[in-house]
Amino acid sequence: MKRRQKINKYEQRPEEEIDFHDMYFDNLSQVEQFAHKKIKESKAKNMRFIRFIVGKGIHSKNGPVIKPLIIRLLDALETRGEIRSHKFDSAYGTGQNTGSILIKL
């Protein structure tokens, strides 16, 4: 398979989208547990791609909080083989959107 075909295959539309904006969690541990649960549920439904919308953190007083947490979780899950890969999503053809993460299950 040529490189461009692999990229196009990876850029399929997600079957589920989870938006972390306006969600309320008591602590960061709950955020991580919720994200991991959503990944497991999506895999159990035989989904291939999901999207996490985490935002860029530009409105946070002390910078992004959820985004780095989710990135660390996804890095760990990828290392353990629980997900195949993850990357920042493209912003509707305008380039990289660092507030949206496409996850290949």
Side-chain angles (χ1 to χ4, degrees):
M1 188 179 290
K2 293 181 180 178
R3 178 169 164 65
R4 187 68 201 156
Q5 289 173 319
K6 287 181 184 179
I7 291 170
N8 287 339
K9 187 176 179 183
Y10 185 81
E11 293 178 342
Q12 292 182 1
R13 290 184 171 254
E15 293 137 300
E16 185 169 13
E17 186 173 274
I18 296 96
D19 191 343
F20 286 82
H21 289 99
D22 300 323
M23 286 189 181
Y24 179 77
F25 298 97
D26 289 327
N27 55 57
L28 292 177
S29 177
Q30 288 180 344
V31 175
E32 187 173 3
Q33 290 169 3
F34 174 79
H36 198 191
K37 177 183 168 193
K38 285 297 186 182
I39 289 169
K40 286 180 178 181
E41 288 173 354
S42 298
K43 285 181 75 172
K45 295 176 186 174
N46 293 318
M47 293 183 185
R48 295 181 59 214
F49 297 91
I50 62 172
R51 177 183 292 132
F52 281 174
I53 299 174
V54 294
K56 297 179 183 181
I58 59 175
H59 300 291
S60 297
K61 234 181 193 180
N62 299 317
V65 178
I66 292 177
K67 178 178 147 182
L69 173 78
I70 296 296
I71 294 292
R72 282 192 302 274
L73 171 66
L74 294 174
D75 286 342
L77 293 177
E78 188 173 338
T79 299
R80 294 193 309 250
E82 291 186 45
I83 63 170
R84 295 186 68 174
S85 60
H86 65 283
K87 68 171 191 153
F88 289 119
D89 204 359
S90 62
Y92 305 105
T94 61
Q96 191 178 66
N97 177 359
T98 59
S100 177
I101 305 165
L102 188 62
I103 304 162
K104 185 175 183 180
L105 302 174

